Amino acid sequence: MVPTPHAALVPLLARHAGHAHELLPLLHALQDRDGYVDPAHVPAIADALNLSRAEVHGVITFYHHFRSAPPPRTVVQICRAEACRSRGGEALVAHAEACTGARIDGEPCHGIGVESVYCLGQCALSPAVTINGDLHARVSPARFDALLALVPERKEGRHV
Ligand code: FES
């Protein structure tokens, strides 16, 4: 039986359907639009690209970038690769955990999730972080606090 795609998925499927090599662009487009790749979409994606559901699921779970659930309101990613580790990255992780209440790669706290990434291409300017996708380099704990205070919902006092 051919799965019926969710209406919100139809325009993206129309743009990418037919070719297996369109899987990554489709997954990126979905995540850019929705913030995650809803597992309920996997059967329709597999059908549209002539792939098995296991192949689609395998790609989604292989790449750390793809989410299968909605992201927290604020996503902090801290680089934990070599250059950043050697320049205070782990101390920054501890600081971020202490000031947000969230555990690295664990459950978000008050709408803030803290996640590990492995190299953001800013090795010469380490330690590097992203906050809601915005890249920041040479981030000290004090600078981290200042950057987090600039996140709109925190700035406006809306802590969820
Ligand atoms: S090691 Fe952190 S940005 Fe490259």
Side-chain angles (χ1 to χ4, degrees):
M1 184 172 148
V2 177
T4 305
H6 188 276
L9 192 57
V10 172
L12 285 174
L13 288 182
R15 200 172 314 138
H16 296 279
H19 304 286
H21 67 262
E22 287 290 323
L23 179 58
L24 280 174
L26 173 57
L27 294 176
H28 279 288
L30 251 177
Q31 182 150 309
D32 288 349
R33 189 190 71 186
D34 299 342
Y36 71 111
V37 179
D38 188 334
H41 293 331
V42 168
I45 293 170
D47 184 64
L49 301 184
N50 275 331
L51 294 167
S52 70
R53 293 176 187 190
E55 288 170 312
V56 175
H57 176 76
V59 169
I60 293 169
T61 54
F62 177 80
Y63 291 105
H64 187 70
H65 172 75
F66 293 118
R67 298 175 184 281
S68 293
R73 185 183 309 268
T74 300
V75 177
V76 173
Q77 294 183 315
I78 303 176
C79 178
R80 304 183 79 189
E82 296 284 325
C84 288
R85 286 181 89 91
S86 71
R87 300 194 58 184
E90 291 306 297
L92 192 58
V93 168
H95 177 77
E97 287 181 327
C99 73
T100 64
R103 300 287 300 166
I104 188 93
D105 299 320
E107 288 298 311
C109 184
H110 301 293
I112 304 175
V114 182
E115 302 174 350
S116 300
V117 289
Y118 293 90
C119 198
L120 292 165
Q122 301 296 311
C123 311
L125 303 171
S126 56
V129 306
T130 67
I131 299 178
N132 288 339
D134 293 333
L135 179 61
H136 306 280
R138 288 192 174 133
V139 179
S140 64
R143 182 146 184 259
F144 178 85
D145 292 345
L147 291 168
L148 205 56
L150 294 174
V151 173
E153 56 266 16
R154 293 180 61 81
K155 206 163 120 186
E156 295 163 16
R158 287 185 281 135
H159 303 266
V160 179

